[in-house]
Amino acid sequence: MLRRNFNRGLNKSPVRLKKVDMAAWILCVPFIFSLYFFHIRPIIIGLSYSFCEMKGFSPIGFAGLDNFISVIRDTAFIKTLINTVMYTVWSLVIGFWVPIFVAVIVNELVHFRGTLKVMMYLPCIVPSLAASLIWYFFYQPGQAGVLNQVILMFGGEPQVWLQDKNLVIPLIIISMTWRGFGSTVVFYLAALQGINQELYEAARVDGAGIIQRAKTITLPHLAPIALLMLVRQIIGIFQIQSEPMLMTGGGPNGASLSLNLQSYYYMFNYFQTERALALGTITFAILMITNIFYFRIEKKLEIY
C-alpha cells in the first residue's frame, strides 16, 4: 500500500510542476514581450542597420564597415570619445565615493536616520530635465547665476562656470551626483544592515573607532555591492546625453560633447542615420567589453 501511494505521488508530481511552471510563464509573458519589443529587438535592428546604407530610417543596401570608418574618421569622434571617458573618470572621482561615505555615516547615526534617508532620496524623484535646468541657472554666468551671487556676497568675482572648457565636465558630474547619489545610498544602507552587528559590538569593545570599524568591517562587506555600483555607474555615465544637451548643448566648442549626444546630433540634426547607428554600435561594443571585465572580476571575488 505504501509503495502504491508513493508511486502515485511520483506520477502526480510532474503534472503539478507543469501547472506551476505554466502559471509562472503566464505571469512572465508581459515582461518578456516588453523586454523583446523595447530592448532586444531595437538592439538587433540597430546593430544590423549599422552595416547598411540608409535612406531615412529604411535600409537600401549593404555598406559593410563604411559607416564605422566614416564615423571614426570624423574629426569629432576622438574628441567625443575622450570627453565620454573624462565624464566616466570624473564621475568615479566625484560621485563614486560620496554614496559610500554618506551610507557609512548614516548607518552610524542613532537619531534622525529615517529623516536623512528621505532628504537624500528627494533629489532622485526630480526629473532629469528639471534637475538639469535647476543646475543650469545655478551655474549661469554673470550676476544672474545663483552661485555667482553667493561669490559676490563674499566679495569675489563672478565666474563663467559652464562656459569654461576645463570645468564644464566636472560641473555636470556634480549636478548628476546630486540627483542620483540618494538611490545608491539606499543600496549601500541595505548592504550595511545585512552585516552582523555583533562584529561592530566586538570592535567597539576593543576600542575601535568609526574609521577603524569602517576599514576592517564595513568596506570589506561592501566590496561586492561596490563593484556592482561601479559597473552600473560606468555604464550609465558612458551613455550620458540629456544633461550636456540641456545644460551646454555640447559646448563650449565641443568640450562637453559625448558619444550619445553626438549620435543624437547625427540622427536629428544632420539626418545621417547610418552614422548615428554606427556610433551607437561602437558605444554598445565598449559597454559590452566593460561587462565582460565585470563578470571576470566578480568570478575572482567569488573564488577568493
Side-chain angles (χ1 to χ4, degrees):
M1 177 66 70
L2 291 174
R3 183 179 298 176
R4 185 183 304 169
N5 292 336
F6 179 75
N7 293 333
R8 187 181 300 172
L10 287 177
N11 294 331
K12 289 184 178 180
S13 59
V15 178
R16 293 178 181 177
L17 286 175
K18 288 181 180 179
K19 289 181 179 179
V20 173
D21 290 344
M22 185 61 68
W25 278 110
I26 291 174
L27 292 174
C28 290
V29 165
F31 169 76
I32 294 173
F33 270 95
S34 63
L35 180 65
Y36 172 74
F37 283 105
F38 296 105
H39 294 277
I40 298 177
R41 184 171 178 270
I43 290 175
I44 295 174
I45 294 175
L47 290 175
S48 60
Y49 282 7
S50 64
F51 295 93
C52 297
E53 184 181 353
M54 304 292 294
K55 184 177 181 181
F57 297 100
S58 302
I60 59 175
F62 183 71
L65 298 177
D66 291 345
N67 297 333
F68 298 93
I69 295 173
S70 176
V71 168
I72 294 174
R73 286 180 176 176
D74 191 345
T75 56
F77 174 74
I78 299 298
K79 189 173 185 178
T80 55
L81 179 60
I82 293 174
N83 289 344
T84 306
V85 172
M86 292 307 300
Y87 274 116
T88 306
V89 171
W90 276 109
S91 72
L92 298 180
V93 173
I94 297 175
F96 179 71
W97 301 104
V98 172
I100 299 176
F101 178 77
V102 174
V104 172
I105 296 298
V106 173
N107 190 61
E108 292 288 335
L109 294 177
V110 178
H111 304 289
F112 305 108
R113 185 184 297 181
T115 304
L116 284 176
K117 289 181 182 178
V118 174
M119 292 177 63
M120 288 185 301
Y121 195 78
L122 282 177
C124 298
I125 65 177
V126 179
S128 176
L129 173 62
S132 298
L133 291 177
I134 290 172
W135 282 91
Y136 170 76
F137 289 110
F138 190 80
Y139 290 138
Q140 197 169 10
Q143 298 183 2
V146 177
L147 191 56
N148 279 338
Q149 290 181 7
V150 175
I151 293 176
L152 289 172
M153 289 175 58
F154 291 94
E157 294 292 332
Q159 305 296 318
V160 293
W161 303 115
L162 292 175
Q163 295 180 8
D164 187 341
K165 64 179 182 179
N166 297 319
L167 293 177
V168 60
I169 291 180
L171 292 176
I172 293 176
I173 291 298
I174 290 173
S175 68
M176 297 179 66
T177 302
W178 170 82
R179 180 176 175 268
F181 87 98
S183 60
T184 309
V185 169
V186 173
F187 284 100
Y188 284 123
L189 283 175
L192 288 172
Q193 292 174 2
I195 300 175
N196 189 353
Q197 296 301 313
E198 294 179 358
L199 297 175
Y200 287 108
E201 293 176 2
R204 290 190 182 96
V205 171
D206 292 339
I210 182 173
I211 297 178
Q212 293 177 329
R213 293 197 300 270
K215 183 178 179 180
T216 58
I217 301 174
T218 305
L219 294 181
H221 284 82
L222 287 181
I225 187 67
L227 177 61
L228 176 61
M229 293 295 107
L230 174 67
V231 176
R232 285 188 58 190
Q233 184 166 330
I234 292 174
I235 293 174
I237 295 298
F238 214 84
Q239 301 177 78
I240 184 173
Q241 175 185 333
S242 60
E243 287 80 7
M245 181 174 65
L246 293 170
M247 298 176 70
T248 64
N253 196 22
S256 61
L257 193 63
S258 64
L259 289 175
N260 264 23
L261 183 56
Q262 180 65 30
S263 179
Y264 174 87
Y265 285 155
Y266 276 148
M267 179 70 76
F268 298 105
N269 285 13
Y270 311 138
F271 303 104
Q272 298 174 351
T273 309
E274 58 277 355
R275 280 193 170 190
L277 294 172
L279 186 55
T281 302
I282 293 173
T283 306
F284 177 77
I286 295 173
L287 295 178
M288 285 298 296
I289 294 172
T290 304
N291 279 327
I292 291 172
F293 277 111
Y294 163 68
F295 287 120
R296 287 187 176 181
I297 295 173
E298 186 184 35
K299 287 183 180 179
K300 290 183 179 180
L301 288 177
E302 289 177 357
I303 292 174
Y304 295 105

